[in-house]
Amino acid sequence: MESRQDELRRDLDAAVQTRKELGAEYESEIVDSFLARIDARMDARTAPRPAAPADRDRDRDRDRRQGRGTRFTLSVVSLVMGVPLTAIASESAGVTGLIVCWAGIVGVNVSAGLADTRRERQAARSARSEWS
């Protein structure tokens, strides 16, 4: 932190000395140059840095936990909704309605599971390519 302030102070002193040497007619260019250097430093400090391997691993673990939570929620909702849907489907269309109802519930859960698996494989592939 000290070195940044010292560096900034040196740049400001250099700008003031340059203004004294060149005169008032170059003042706007000197100020613009000084402000451009400050902007460049601010951009460098606020620019997003690439994630460290530990950060990527932590993010990947968090994503896995969230994925498990989502899968659990979907399975619970499927079972809870399955009870009234089973009653409605079997009352309305008999065994055929019951089969269609549960085929839909199973289809939703299978497709969600396949999407999670695909996402995990893609993440693993991208992690391997980062290290290659």
Side-chain angles (χ1 to χ4, degrees):
M1 184 74 180
E2 283 293 321
S3 65
R4 288 182 185 155
Q5 287 179 347
D6 291 341
E7 198 173 321
L8 184 61
R9 189 170 288 126
R10 279 193 304 267
D11 282 350
L12 180 59
D13 288 339
V16 169
Q17 291 301 322
T18 304
R19 196 269 183 209
K20 285 180 183 176
E21 289 177 17
L22 296 177
E25 58 269 2
Y26 291 104
E27 185 171 335
S28 64
E29 289 84 3
I30 294 168
V31 170
D32 289 342
S33 172
F34 178 71
L35 291 176
R37 285 192 297 250
I38 290 176
D39 283 342
R41 284 200 187 125
M42 292 292 288
D43 289 343
R45 289 177 66 184
T46 59
R49 286 178 258 158
D55 293 339
R56 285 192 297 264
D57 292 342
R58 185 175 51 242
D59 292 344
R60 200 173 307 124
D61 291 342
R62 184 191 66 229
D63 291 343
R64 282 187 193 133
R65 283 192 304 275
Q66 286 175 345
R68 277 190 230 129
T70 303
R71 286 189 296 257
F72 178 74
T73 303
L74 179 62
S75 63
V76 169
V77 168
S78 295
L79 289 174
V80 169
M81 293 303 296
V83 172
L85 288 174
T86 299
I88 294 168
S90 62
E91 181 67 29
S92 299
V95 175
T96 306
L98 183 66
I99 291 170
V100 169
C101 171
W102 278 99
I105 292 171
V106 169
V108 166
N109 284 283
V110 167
S111 65
L114 290 174
D116 287 342
T117 303
R118 188 178 315 122
R119 206 173 302 120
E120 287 173 2
R121 285 183 185 160
Q122 212 169 22
R125 254 186 251 123
S126 68
R128 278 195 304 260
S129 67
E130 287 175 6
W131 290 102
S132 299

